[in-house]
Amino acid sequence: QVQLVETGGGSVQAGGSLRLSCAASGNVMNMRWYRQAQGKQREPVAAIATVDGSTFYTDSVKGRFTISQDAAKNTLSLQMNSLNPEDTAKYYCAGNCPYGLDDRYRCTYWGRGTQVTVSS
């Protein structure tokens, strides 16, 4: 049974950085990071494909966020730099997702999320 646990959230000033981690208890493919801001829909922000290691980012985080994974440790990370208040959201790790960032079909496995708050 797959279990995902996110860590690393917190409160930072605009321009700061955070690194989120997701520990997976089982084998998970095509992982993503989602976020959901107050009153907004959940959106995928970054993804990494199992088949070829390709990474994908939503436009608003390109150049600022980096998704990576350590297969040996079965962990997923999201390095977030140059954070701004618009990045404030609860961030979720998800697995067994569609290839890329196409959110037409939802991922199978989800963590409980970790809060990221960016103040001006």
Side-chain angles (χ1 to χ4, degrees), residues 32-55:
R32 290 178 177 175
W33 286 99
Y34 280 76
R35 68 184 180 188
Q36 186 169 29
Q38 179 78 16
K40 305 294 184 181
Q41 291 186 327
R42 190 174 298 184
E43 63 172 343
V45 296
I48 186 163
T50 301
V51 64
D52 57 10
S54 297
T55 57

Side-chain angles (χ1 to χ4, degrees), residues 32-118:
R32 290 178 177 175
W33 286 99
Y34 280 76
R35 68 184 180 188
Q36 186 169 29
Q38 179 78 16
K40 305 294 184 181
Q41 291 186 327
R42 190 174 298 184
E43 63 172 343
V45 296
I48 186 163
T50 301
V51 64
D52 57 10
S54 297
T55 57
F56 308 86
Y57 301 93
T58 192
D59 287 344
S60 64
V61 308
K62 287 181 179 178
R64 300 189 298 120
F65 290 11
T66 302
I67 188 171
S68 62
Q69 68 179 111
D70 185 334
K73 295 182 178 181
N74 211 20
T75 59
L76 179 76
S77 296
L78 185 68
Q79 179 65 46
M80 305 184 294
N81 299 325
S82 301
L83 287 163
N84 58 63
E86 288 68 47
D87 296 315
T88 295
K90 193 167 188 178
Y91 284 72
Y92 298 85
C93 175
N96 280 16
C97 305
Y99 184 86
L101 280 179
D102 188 349
D103 206 30
R104 181 177 178 182
Y105 302 101
R106 203 174 185 185
C107 309
T108 302
Y109 303 108
W110 293 81
R112 291 184 176 182
T114 185
Q115 180 67 38
V116 171
T117 302
V118 185

